[in-house]
Amino acid sequence: MAMGRPRAFHMDQALDQALHVFWEKGYAGTSITDLTEAMGINPPSLYAAFGNKEKLFKKALDRYEDLRDQILKEAFAAPTAREAVTRLLEGTAERLSDKCNPRGCLMVQGALSGGEECEAVKRDLASRRAGVEVLIRKRLKRAKREGDLPSDADAAALARFVATVMHGMAVQAAGGVAPKELRAIVNTALRAWPG
């Protein structure tokens, strides 16, 4: 069985570069040329390794979610729901303030613009964002069962509120607000905590 030529690039590094470009320019704003230049490969290598642009974007999103999931895991390990949400919001603010990354959040801004050709990507991003809200809701429902939240607390509404604050902070960060302002948003949101 004949073997093809070995890849002349490191897949994880190339994927990290693609992630950075998509994060900075969004799905619609990123061209194949942008990707190949950042990844240091030619178009045939990109297609052979990753498929088309949409498949590469989904792989980049999976990688991005791995980073985000670290914040969720650390936050949800907190002993109380309030502390879990505090860690989650503070971790989000810290990540959004990281100067090593583009401003904002790929999951929020990745496909805000673009026409019909972006519909599948928009649906995927919406589904992934909804998945975060589901995880938050599960943690809050557990807190309610354990007596950590008041019995009249609405876990679903509270989860939606927390997710909306996170997404709003991402939009603010993309607009250039300072880390100090993001922390002020966190503090304000926590004042609305029940009980």
Side-chain angles (χ1 to χ4, degrees), residues 1-98:
M1 183 166 165
M3 301 225 0
R5 210 170 31 156
R7 286 197 173 101
F9 63 93
H10 189 273
M11 291 283 283
D12 286 340
Q13 290 174 343
L15 190 54
D16 285 341
Q17 293 302 319
L19 167 60
H20 191 85
V21 173
F22 282 127
W23 193 347
E24 193 170 88
K25 296 185 172 200
Y27 178 77
T30 298
S31 69
I32 294 296
T33 300
D34 294 330
L35 292 166
T36 55
E37 286 177 0
M39 297 164 80
I41 61 176
N42 60 34
S45 294
L46 183 147
Y47 292 118
F50 299 102
N52 60 23
K53 177 181 164 182
E54 185 177 330
K55 288 179 182 175
L56 175 56
F57 184 70
K58 287 184 179 191
K59 288 179 182 182
L61 279 174
D62 291 342
R63 197 156 181 89
Y64 184 86
E65 281 188 312
D66 289 343
L67 300 170
R68 186 220 49 216
D69 288 349
Q70 292 172 356
I71 294 172
L72 291 172
K73 185 177 178 180
E74 290 170 15
F76 292 162
T80 67
R82 180 183 174 87
E83 189 176 343
V85 169
T86 300
R87 287 183 188 180
L88 180 58
L89 293 177
E90 287 176 349
T92 299
E94 185 176 317
R95 187 162 136 216
L96 291 169
S97 301
D98 186 346

Side-chain angles (χ1 to χ4, degrees), residues 128-138 156 159-160 163-164:
R128 291 174 191 245
R129 287 190 307 267
V132 172
E133 186 177 322
V134 167
L135 293 173
I136 297 168
R137 185 171 59 238
K138 285 180 181 177
R160 193 170 306 111
T164 300

Side-chain angles (χ1 to χ4, degrees), residues 115-137:
E116 289 180 21
E117 74 280 0
C118 297
E119 284 307 312
V121 171
K122 289 178 183 180
R123 283 191 304 274
D124 185 28
L125 285 168
S127 174
R128 291 174 191 245
R129 287 190 307 267
V132 172
E133 186 177 322
V134 167
L135 293 173
I136 297 168
R137 185 171 59 238

